[in-house]
Amino acid sequence: MDQGRTHILGIETSCDETAAAVIRRNADGSGEIVSNIVLSQLKDHAPYGGVVPEIAARAHVSHLDGLIAQAMKEAGLGFEDLDGVAATAGPGLLGGVIVGLTMAKGIALAHGTPLLAVNHLEGHALTARLLRTVEFPYLLLLISGGHTQFQIVAGVGRYHRLGTTIDDALGEAFDKVAKLLGLGYPGGPQVEARARGGNPQRFDFPRPLKGRKDCNFSFSGLKTAVREVVNDLGTLSDQDVADVCASFEAAVAETMADRLKMAVTLFREAHPRVESPALIVAGGVAANARLKAVFETAAAQHRLNLIVPPARLCTDNAAMIAWAGAERLALGLADDLGVAARARWPLDQTQAPIYGSGKLGAKA
Ligand code: KG4
Ligand code: ZN
């Protein structure tokens, strides 16, 4: 450590990205990405229409050491220069998590470096602070292929879940709709592209849980409604596909605006003195332009400081894991080498799990 400056190696292997990164945390709490390498296994899994855990774990084993060597080389550092080694310890596909965590333990043991066993969701939750000063508490909306949740981020390791999905994750809903329409995997970007030429009013899909006084989500009924329309249409013209995509996106957008309003109300009840809290949107679905417009409108309406980190840091990466590790190390929260990998690991341990939220084996 050099005058409160730390260098942390991060490792991410919880789903279908193998990733290694080095970040620097400065004494004033600001951060910088020194190297950030992500190897997507998308092509390996695409033929199966989703992530195959066994294939993912094998790919992590094949590529991880090379990616770490590359990340260290690009950073111009040796292992002895590191102040900590951070790896995702869950939640995620257990086989993959074990690969990354075991590698981190090996490095920690060999070089006497502190180990940081990071919750993948905490990586997503804290990413915004790597890029700029963001004060606690803030509101986090995580929308990925495996998770859809609102959290109050009160501090490092301090989370309060306001709402989560009671069935499918939002990214999963996009992927399933894409599959129904034969659009390929991952479906989100394809649905978005097709929706551009479509009529959002043609199909009146449900707005799940709209108006409910909590801020949970549900997407499986919406997906079923899409399936029924697709079945009724029979052979689909390009215009049909575009109209289904646009109508689906419109339903998601309206639902999201409603759930966000509830989340802000609950946040303000919990923290009445925070004037303009940050709203951080993370996860792959944050890339969707239609939804971004919803967040922008909501931010203006509810006096929120909207921050959507760039896509390469919103989707799975190791810089966010290294950063969460750095924030934990700064608080003296290093882990024991005996720490175990966990398939499930909610951020807010006080909340009862809801079936379907962060399914075993789902992407986080
Ligand atoms: O965060 P991410 O890269 O991986 C994890 O799930 O951790 O998110 C992937 C999800 C997929 O379900 C994908 O279809 C969705 O994000 N996605 C999108 C868009 N880009 C990616 N969904 C809607 N619109 C997009 N433009
Ligand atoms: Zn993730």
Side-chain angles (χ1 to χ4, degrees):
M1 197 184 309
D2 175 15
Q3 292 171 341
R5 220 169 66 156
T6 53
H7 286 99
I8 310 288
L9 168 68
I11 296 171
E12 160 58 36
T13 55
S14 67
C15 196
D16 62 346
E17 272 92 19
T18 316
V22 176
I23 63 94
R24 180 161 45 238
R25 183 181 185 279
N26 299 310
D28 64 0
S30 62
E32 288 159 62
I33 297 174
V34 186
S35 63
N36 187 19
I37 297 161
V38 182
L39 181 75
S40 170
Q41 304 171 5
L42 212 56
K43 282 203 195 79
D44 302 335
H45 301 282
Y48 306 93
V51 178
V52 183
E54 190 57 35
I55 294 177
R58 281 166 199 265
H60 292 310
V61 171
S62 305
H63 300 297
L64 184 57
D65 55 350
L67 289 186
I68 291 173
Q70 197 183 337
M72 294 297 292
K73 190 168 167 222
E74 282 184 20
L77 298 176
F79 287 124
E80 66 284 358
D81 301 318
L82 294 173
D83 300 287
V85 51
T88 297
L93 298 170
L94 200 54
V97 175
I98 289 171
V99 172
L101 185 59
T102 307
M103 180 69 88
K105 286 180 182 178
I107 296 169
L109 188 61
H111 299 277
T113 315
L115 172 73
L116 291 312
V118 171
N119 183 317
H120 177 91
L121 303 175
E122 181 155 55
H124 281 301
L126 299 178
T127 304
R129 288 167 51 85
L130 162 61
L131 305 169
R132 56 209 276 183
T133 307
V134 185
E135 302 294 341
F136 298 121
Y138 54 80
L139 181 60
L140 169 74
L141 170 60
L142 175 60
I143 38 177
S144 70
H147 287 269
T148 303
Q149 47 185 256
F150 282 114
Q151 297 270 355
I152 295 178
V153 183
V156 175
R158 294 175 53 209
Y159 299 91
H160 176 68
R161 191 187 74 202
L162 294 176
T164 184
T165 178
I166 59 173
D167 41 57
D168 294 348
L170 182 53
E172 194 181 357
F174 270 93
D175 293 337
K176 286 179 175 171
V177 165
K179 202 170 181 178
L180 282 169
L181 298 169
L183 296 181
Y185 175 85
Q190 321 241 17
V191 170
E192 174 169 22
R194 292 301 196 96
R196 268 183 226 124
N199 173 4
Q201 269 126 33
R202 176 161 164 206
F203 303 107
D204 187 18
F205 290 132
R207 275 57 174 155
L209 307 192
K210 190 174 168 201
R212 279 254 305 250
K213 294 286 172 225
D214 59 29
C215 57
N216 286 332
F217 299 90
S218 165
F219 295 107
S220 83
L222 175 55
K223 171 197 66 193
T224 305
V226 172
R227 181 187 297 123
E228 280 165 6
V229 162
V230 169
N231 288 347
D232 287 349
L233 286 169
T235 313
L236 300 175
S237 68
D238 281 353
Q239 193 57 50
D240 290 336
V241 171
D243 292 347
V244 169
C245 289
S247 302
F248 167 76
E249 251 191 13
V252 169
E254 200 177 313
T255 304
M256 205 44 94
D258 174 72
R259 306 287 71 202
L260 192 48
K261 198 165 108 197
M262 273 315 302
V264 174
T265 304
L266 295 176
F267 183 96
R268 291 209 183 278
E269 276 171 23
H271 297 282
R273 265 175 285 184
V274 182
E275 267 285 307
S276 288
L279 165 64
I280 316 278
V281 187
V285 188
N288 184 284
R290 178 75 192 80
L291 292 180
K292 254 189 214 157
V294 169
F295 304 140
E296 277 159 13
T297 307
Q301 256 171 10
H302 306 299
R303 284 176 294 123
L304 307 172
N305 176 18
L306 175 66
I307 302 173
V308 185
R312 77 196 157 88
L313 295 178
C314 260
T315 56
D316 288 351
N317 66 88
M320 71 178 192
I321 302 303
W323 177 252
E327 293 239 56
R328 294 182 67 78
L329 186 66
L331 295 173
L333 296 173
D335 291 278
D336 192 88
L337 284 182
V339 66
R342 302 166 71 168
R344 292 188 76 102
W345 185 1
L347 267 182
D348 178 354
Q349 313 254 353
T350 65
Q351 298 273 358
I354 292 186
Y355 174 74
S357 56
K359 290 182 202 98
L360 201 73
K363 247 190 148 183

